[in-house]
Amino acid sequence: QKGVVSKMIIGHIDNLDEEFCSYAQAIQKGLRFLQEKDFSKMESGRYDIDGDQIFALVQRYETKDAEDCRPETHNNYLDIQYMAKGREYLSWCVLGPDLEISEAYDPDRDVAFYKKLIPENNVLLTDRIFAVLYPHDVHRPGCKAEQKQDVLKVVVKIATSCLE
């Protein structure tokens, strides 16, 4: 994947107004959804923002040891991973030739899995922090920070066709 440039973005939802105009319209739509909702009052599950083009997955789970979480990429959707409540490490690297596939791309689930991240970088997601991950951003979500804990996280899925 020579010449692939990562576009991962990290931000805080409270600083959104300062940075908002620099994001594509579809990303703006997803970030507004995150900014306007109280996820503590919403059930876990899928919430359509713009049908299959933009939707949110509200998730509640316990973080795990890093070795129990799998690095992944998506071809047809980018992720906005938003920590509504809790702390976890989101491990990340740019898709490159050194990465070994552990599970080939599944078009029905829009995911491929990798053995490990090379090189591995960690971003600490805490309350109200978001990360925008593009298809070339290999990411391993759900890793414990200091200790395992229950988190409330929202993943907004945005079809890459919305960015063209």
Side-chain angles (χ1 to χ4, degrees), residues 6-134:
S6 171
K7 298 181 184 182
M8 185 175 80
I9 301 166
I10 303 291
H12 193 288
I13 205 76
D14 294 342
N15 299 334
L16 196 54
D17 291 334
E18 300 166 18
E19 306 162 358
F20 198 67
C21 64
S22 64
Y23 303 128
Q25 283 192 332
I27 295 173
Q28 290 179 18
K29 195 176 228 183
L31 290 170
R32 281 285 180 230
F33 176 85
L34 295 172
Q35 195 176 41
E36 294 168 355
K37 300 293 182 190
D38 180 355
F39 296 104
S40 68
K41 297 179 180 172
M42 295 172 70
E43 295 292 321
S44 296
R46 178 179 163 148
Y47 293 84
D48 286 351
I49 300 168
D50 187 3
D52 286 336
Q53 297 297 302
I54 306 173
F55 59 91
L57 303 171
V58 176
Q59 306 171 339
R60 288 170 173 84
Y61 58 86
E62 183 180 64
T63 57
K64 303 180 210 173
D65 293 327
E67 55 270 12
D68 295 328
C69 302
R70 300 192 300 169
E72 61 187 50
T73 57
H74 313 288
N75 287 359
N76 299 321
Y77 287 88
L78 63 86
D79 286 357
I80 303 175
Q81 300 219 359
Y82 173 69
M83 187 57 65
K85 184 159 181 54
R87 298 167 65 86
E88 79 175 31
Y89 277 116
L90 174 71
S91 301
W92 163 88
C93 76
V94 176
L95 184 62
D98 295 334
L99 298 177
E100 287 184 66
I101 294 175
S102 65
E103 189 176 318
Y105 178 72
D106 178 345
D108 293 333
R109 296 186 306 149
D110 187 41
V111 68
F113 292 102
Y114 299 83
K115 291 183 179 179
K116 62 182 180 175
L117 298 162
I118 303 172
E120 182 169 336
N121 301 283
N122 290 304
V123 174
L124 181 63
L125 296 183
T126 58
D127 293 357
R128 304 177 64 74
I129 299 291
F130 66 87
V132 180
L133 298 151
Y134 287 79

